[in-house]
Amino acid sequence: MGFLTGKKALVLGIANQKSIAFGIAQAMKNQGADLILTYQNERLKKRIDQCAEALKVDRVFPCEVTEEAQLDRLFQYIHTTWDSFDILIHSIGFAPADELKGDFLESSTREGFQIAQDISTYSLIALCQKAKPYLNHNGSVITLTYLGAERIIPHYNVMGLAKASLEAGVRYLAGSLGAEGIRVNAISAGPIRTLAASGIKHFRKMLQYSEQFSPLGRNVSTEEVGNVAAFLGSDLASGITGQTLYVDAGFNISSLPLYNFKTSNEES
Ligand code: 0WD
C-alpha cells in the first residue's frame, strides 16, 4: 500500500524513459496510483508503448495539446475509463530550436514567443478547463517549471518567459480551482538530461554549473522529481496550492560556488 493507493493519475509529457514525466509516472505507480499516459503523436507511439510496458501500465492515449479536439477526446476517454480522476501531470514544454541559442533580444521572434506560450503555458489552462468536470475533490494538478522563469539563464530565452507565465498561471489556476478543493502546483526542477533539454545550447555546461553551485553539490534525478510529484499529488500535501517547489539540490538559493570557499584554516 502506497500513499497514492486508490488515486487515478493522468500523465502528459512522456517522450521516452529519460523524460521527467516517466520518473513521475514511476514514482506514482510505486505509491499505488492507477495511470493513464498520453503521447504527443504517432512518431512517439513506439517509445510510449515501451514506457508503458516498463511501468506495467496498459492505457495510453494520443494527445497533441494544441488541438482542442484531441483534448476533448482525451477527457471523453478518461470519463468512460475512470468516470473521474485525481491527479493531472502536465510535463510539457516547447520552443522552436532557433529561440534557444544566442542572445535573447536577437533570437526572439513573435512566432517563437507565441508557440512557446501556447504549448508550454496555455496548454495547462486548456487542460484544467477540460479536466475540471472530471477532477475529484482533493484533486491535484502539477506542472514542471524551471529557474529560467525568474533568473537569466543563457540560451533559455523565450522559454524563460513561457515559464514565468506558467508560474503565474499556476497561482491563478489555484485561485480558480480552490473552491472545488483542487490544488495546483509547479515543481521547478534542476537541469536533467532529457530530449527537451538537448535542444538548449550548452546544456552540458549548465549541468556542470548547477552541480558546482548547489548546496548538495550534485544534480537531481527524474526519480527525485517524481517523488515530490507523488507527494504533491497525494493527500499528504492537502494544504499546499499555488506554489512553486524547487527540486534542484538547492541551486536556486546559491550565489557563489560553496566548494571554492571550503578551504583550510591557513587561507583567509
Ligand atoms: O532540465 C530539464 N530537463 C528540465 C525540464 C528542468 C526543468 C523543467 N523542465 C520541464 C520542461 O520544460 C517541460 O515542461 O519539464 C517538462 C518535461 O520536460 P523533459 O522531461 O525535460 O523533456 P522531454 O522528455 O522531451 O518531454 C517533454 C515532452 C515532449 O518531448 P519532445 O522533446 O518530443 O518535444 O513534452 C511533449 C513531448 O512528448 N510535448 C507535447 N505533448 C503534447 N503536445 C507537445 C505538444 N504540443 N510538445 C511537447
Side-chain angles (χ1 to χ4, degrees):
M1 283 273 285
F3 55 70
L4 291 176
T5 300
K7 298 273 191 195
K8 299 182 174 74
L10 171 63
V11 180
L12 292 99
I14 297 182
N16 59 36
Q17 296 196 21
K18 291 190 170 149
S19 296
I20 293 175
F22 183 83
I24 293 174
Q26 199 155 42
M28 292 199 160
K29 182 84 186 176
N30 290 345
Q31 293 302 331
D34 193 12
L35 303 178
I36 290 176
L37 315 177
T38 74
Y39 59 101
Q40 188 185 353
N41 53 40
E42 286 310 307
R43 190 175 50 84
L44 295 172
K45 177 76 166 67
K46 209 171 138 196
R47 285 273 162 75
I48 192 84
D49 284 342
Q50 289 166 350
C51 292
E53 201 183 322
L55 292 164
K56 297 190 172 55
V57 168
D58 51 17
R59 298 187 206 98
V60 298
F61 201 81
C63 185
E64 160 59 61
V65 293
T66 56
E67 301 282 340
E68 290 285 315
Q70 291 203 23
L71 295 177
D72 288 334
R73 274 203 290 279
L74 171 64
F75 287 104
Q76 199 50 52
Y77 174 70
I78 297 286
H79 184 55
T80 50
T81 311
W82 278 340
D83 194 31
S84 62
F85 74 115
D86 306 284
I87 301 167
L88 171 62
I89 303 296
H90 172 270
S91 185
I92 287 170
F94 179 80
D98 286 349
E99 306 275 330
L100 302 174
K101 50 184 173 216
D103 177 72
F104 168 64
L105 189 61
E106 281 162 21
S107 55
S108 294
T109 65
R110 190 183 301 269
E111 198 197 353
F113 176 87
Q114 286 169 348
I115 292 171
Q117 291 282 343
D118 186 25
I119 298 179
S120 315
T121 305
Y122 186 77
S123 62
L124 178 67
I125 302 165
L127 279 163
C128 285
Q129 283 172 343
K130 309 270 184 198
K132 188 179 164 190
Y134 310 111
L135 269 170
N136 293 328
H137 195 83
N138 292 332
S140 175
V141 176
I142 300 160
T143 186
L144 272 297
T145 186
Y146 181 53
L147 189 63
E150 304 156 67
R151 310 276 175 85
I152 305 165
I153 304 280
H155 307 296
Y156 202 60
N157 298 349
V158 77
M159 271 309 285
L161 281 72
K163 292 301 192 192
S165 124
L166 180 70
E167 291 178 17
V170 162
R171 292 186 284 273
Y172 276 92
L173 289 167
S176 292
L177 292 169
E180 319 292 322
I182 298 164
R183 300 176 292 105
V184 185
N185 292 290
I187 295 175
S188 185
I192 299 174
R193 196 184 294 282
T194 62
L195 207 58
S198 66
I200 301 164
K201 203 167 183 300
H202 294 315
F203 186 75
R204 199 155 50 92
K205 259 194 198 165
M206 280 167 68
L207 281 175
Q208 285 165 357
Y209 267 91
S210 70
E211 194 178 314
Q212 288 169 0
F213 278 68
S214 62
L216 293 182
R218 62 173 177 83
N219 283 304
V220 294
S221 64
T222 55
E223 289 76 15
E224 289 176 304
V225 177
N227 286 335
V228 174
F231 159 70
L232 279 177
S234 78
D235 295 342
L236 294 172
S238 58
I240 303 177
T241 194
Q243 303 302 307
T244 298
L245 268 76
Y246 296 88
V247 184
D248 66 348
F251 180 79
N252 73 94
I253 62 157
S254 72
S255 56
L256 301 170
L258 291 169
Y259 74 95
N260 257 347
F261 294 84
K262 284 180 181 152
T263 53
S264 59
N265 286 339
E266 352 24 297
E267 290 183 56
S268 57

